Amino acid sequence: MFFLPFEFETEQYIDWLNTCIDYVEGNYAGAEVEFVDGGDTCLLYESYDRLYDEDYIFNVTIQINQKESHRKMLYALLHEAGHLERMIDHSGDATFFCGTNESKTHTIIEEVLAWSKAEEIAQRLNIYIEKRAWKHEMQNAINLYAKWHNKEEK
């Protein structure tokens, strides 16, 4: 296992986590962050098709694995917030999410763009990104999608 030392005390990561939670839940009606014991960090949302209705407020839950380090939880939350912002920014675009297995390549592209959007969010919130640790988390996550992309259908 690859380990990078933490540049900050645990309390600092917790403060940044709370800042990010406040940002997500305060800026997006219907959004909530939930910590779970184990499993993958993910973004759960209702049917994307309903986002086209301007009067509809959707519900979205970002689940974070609380068994991870505070830094890893922070980076995962920032990444999922990046997905959320991209969903909102593209809510009128019917091609934004192509469906479950229609475009694995598009999914990988979206993963990369969500990491990029997450960096913008961190900057806006004055959350310091530890470059090596961030790059490590980002590469690991994208690698998982690359393996999924290249896996042969059975």
Side-chain angles (χ1 to χ4, degrees):
M1 174 180 258
F2 184 75
F3 178 78
L4 286 168
F6 298 101
E7 291 185 29
F8 300 95
E9 297 294 324
T10 300
E11 292 76 22
Q12 180 62 70
Y13 295 109
I14 292 171
D15 285 348
W16 283 331
L17 266 166
N18 289 327
T19 297
C20 198
I21 291 167
D22 291 345
Y23 174 77
V24 168
E25 293 179 348
N27 285 296
Y28 300 105
E32 96 176 287
V33 176
E34 175 180 274
F35 290 89
V36 295
D37 288 323
D40 292 329
T41 292
C42 62
L43 180 75
L44 305 171
Y45 57 92
E46 296 178 38
S47 170
Y48 189 73
D49 295 334
R50 295 198 60 193
L51 293 179
Y52 303 129
D53 179 355
E54 290 180 14
D55 297 325
Y56 176 68
I57 296 177
F58 70 103
N59 290 320
V60 62
T61 302
I62 296 175
Q63 288 188 337
I64 303 293
N65 180 353
Q66 66 185 357
K67 293 189 175 188
E68 299 291 352
S69 72
H70 288 92
R71 178 175 65 196
K72 189 167 183 165
M73 288 191 291
L74 172 64
Y75 291 176
L77 177 54
L78 284 165
H79 170 72
E80 297 304 333
H83 278 302
L84 179 57
E85 280 203 7
R86 288 192 45 74
M87 283 175 64
I88 301 300
D89 290 348
H90 295 88
S91 62
D93 180 359
T95 66
F96 183 67
F97 281 119
C98 299
T100 356
N101 281 320
E102 289 180 65
S103 177
K104 288 183 170 184
T105 302
H106 178 82
T107 301
I108 293 173
I109 292 167
E110 178 52 36
E111 284 302 305
V112 172
L113 293 173
W115 281 102
S116 178
K117 181 62 84 172
E119 288 183 45
E120 293 174 22
I121 294 168
Q123 188 173 19
R124 262 184 272 155
L125 299 177
N126 294 315
I127 294 173
Y128 180 79
I129 297 291
E130 298 164 61
K131 290 184 189 331
R132 287 187 66 207
W134 180 262
K135 185 177 178 182
H136 177 73
E137 292 299 328
M138 180 177 60
Q139 287 175 334
N140 280 346
I142 294 169
N143 250 348
L144 289 174
Y145 281 95
K147 287 177 185 174
W148 164 75
H149 179 277
N150 292 323
K151 186 177 180 181
E152 289 187 29
E153 300 294 325
K154 292 183 180 184

